[in-house]
Amino acid sequence: MMLQMLQDRFYVNFIKENRWEYILDGLGVTLQVTFFAVIIGILIGFLVAIVRSTYDKTGKLRILNFICKIYLTVVRGTPVVVQLLIIYFVIFGSSDISKVLVAIMAFGLNSGAYVAEIFRSGIMSIDNGQFEAGRSLGFNYVQTMIYIIMPQAFKNVLPALGNEFIVLLKETSVSGYIALQDLTKGGDIIRSRTYDAFMPLIAVALIYLIMVMIFTKLVNMLERRLRNSDH
Amino acid sequence: MTINNEILIKVEDLHKVYHSKLHALDGVSEEIRKGEVVVIVGPSGSGKSTFLRSLNLLEVPTTGHVYFKGIDITSKETDIDLHRRKMGMVFQHFNLFPHKTILENITLAPVKLLKKSKADAEKRAMELLRLVGLEEKANVYPSQLSGGQKQRIAIVRSLAMDPEVMLFDEPTSALDPEMVGEVLELMKKLAQDGMTMAVVTHEMGFAREVATRVIFMDEGKIKEQGVPEDFFGNPKEPRLKEFLSKIL
């Protein structure tokens, strides 16, 4: 009886009228947005962190550092939903731009600020002797950063970085605010069709959970591999 | 051991002022000739490390000039990175790259900067490792080495760039006593092979035995210098007498 009822609800929510496609297409959008936002976030974060730590270490790049600080303050001081809305309705309000692209930009720009501070703390945590050893061999500032400081800093910040991407993946669930049909929105559309909140929303939650667990596992594996050189 | 007249490093009226009051270097002028082993001693805070670190501009002097083979490396137009390749430096805390194996530590700079092939660089690295008796450590990471081994690898890493001068900044100060000997032994071997060296150290035995010249620094100035026999046997400066009486 109970089982029969669950089966019926499952049928109505996912099978009937191919409603599972809302979930699958939404998942595709969520993954797409997260993936490209992560890449943008890393690129921005990397550059901002280089500027900031160069300023901290040498006092150079004063103006760039100032610009970076404004970026960090604004992005970290306002909600990501508001940033998403502003980019969609204010900045691209009059142009016909893909919502996926807007979401990628918004979340990438947002993530970049957090990644920047993660990278910066990683760079600053490396003993200055490493830097001096690199420079004394004849590496210039940038080469020392690339060959000696960054690989060590990256290893140190990997857990924090993994965490940031988990946060980002979950944060994309607000994409519905600009009517982008991501995973969350997909589940919500089913709910509005079937008037059944439980099935679609639990399904959505489970999918996020599984993705986060897989990702956590991957980060842990990478961490263990990188740690091999430490003992 | 041949000291010819070629001046490798020339320092002119070097001043280093921190926070506009602390005078770490107070008008130091000096010349280091090819083949010399110059040992710099002095109490802590005397400016001896600052002086050594000024020679390859890890410490940028407030005023004054440093010439390496006649070229003013303190000049803004000079590409300091090119000259640093020829000036090896060994640090108190080794500063090996912990994320790289010993072999990678040694070959990184020759491959990336001198554009040596990986095979050539590794061949040379293995030769140098054999020289210090650590060839079996080629593929381990620095964390698996003792302090003395780390410092010998750090020396090898510098040697792999074929430097014309080696700067040592208290190379044995962070070592357990039983490991000091192996590092000093290697430095002595380098000196005997004719390497030009500038060494900041507290090892007076090394200064006495290996140095061609000993410099005493105090309060940011060179107060006295001479060949080891005179320096230790017949010091003139009262501060040096006091210093020597405390540590010998």
Side-chain angles (χ1 to χ4, degrees), chain A residues 53-107:
Chain A
S53 50
T54 300
Y55 176 76
D56 286 349
K57 272 183 195 292
T58 66
K60 288 175 187 160
L61 306 180
R62 178 180 294 273
I63 295 167
L64 272 177
N65 180 61
F66 183 70
I67 294 170
C68 288
K69 266 175 102 165
I70 292 176
Y71 160 72
L72 293 174
T73 307
V74 170
V75 167
R76 295 196 300 165
T78 53
V80 65
V81 185
V82 177
Q83 292 165 17
L84 179 69
L85 289 172
I86 288 175
I87 291 181
Y88 186 62
F89 289 111
V90 179
I91 298 177
F92 293 109
S94 52
S95 58
D96 185 26
I97 188 170
S98 142
K99 285 170 187 161
V100 172
L101 211 58
V102 169
I104 287 170
M105 268 191 276
F107 291 112

Side-chain angles (χ1 to χ4, degrees), chain B residues 146-166:
Chain B
S146 73
Q149 291 171 333
K150 281 182 193 167
Q151 196 59 299
R152 285 187 285 155
I153 297 297
I155 293 171
V156 164
R157 180 175 68 180
S158 290
L159 289 176
M161 291 295 282
D162 293 319
E164 295 187 34
V165 57
M166 289 279 286

Side-chain angles (χ1 to χ4, degrees), chain A residues 127-141 143 147-149 151-152 155 228-231, chain B residues 53 56 58 80-81 84-85 87 89 91 95-100 108-109 112-113 141 143-144 157-158 161:
Chain A
D127 180 58
N128 203 40
Q130 291 291 310
F131 197 79
E132 291 190 339
R135 295 305 304 268
S136 77
L137 285 168
F139 287 108
N140 64 31
Y141 182 87
Q143 290 168 326
Y147 297 129
I148 295 156
I149 306 298
Q152 298 182 59
K155 194 159 70 177
N228 280 345
S229 61
D230 279 354
H231 47 69
Chain B
R53 290 161 52 84
N56 67 350
L58 277 190
I80 181 63
D81 300 319
R84 280 193 181 130
R85 295 176 189 178
M87 309 169 99
M89 183 144 200
F91 300 88
N95 298 343
L96 295 180
F97 307 133
H99 61 302
K100 296 197 175 293
L108 181 70
K112 300 288 182 193
L113 296 175
Y141 286 93
S143 55
Q144 289 158 275
R157 180 175 68 180
S158 290
M161 291 295 282

Side-chain angles (χ1 to χ4, degrees), chain B residues 232-243:
Chain B
F232 292 105
N234 185 22
K236 291 165 193 71
E237 180 74 24
R239 286 285 290 148
L240 175 57
K241 284 181 188 165
E242 189 194 330
F243 176 73

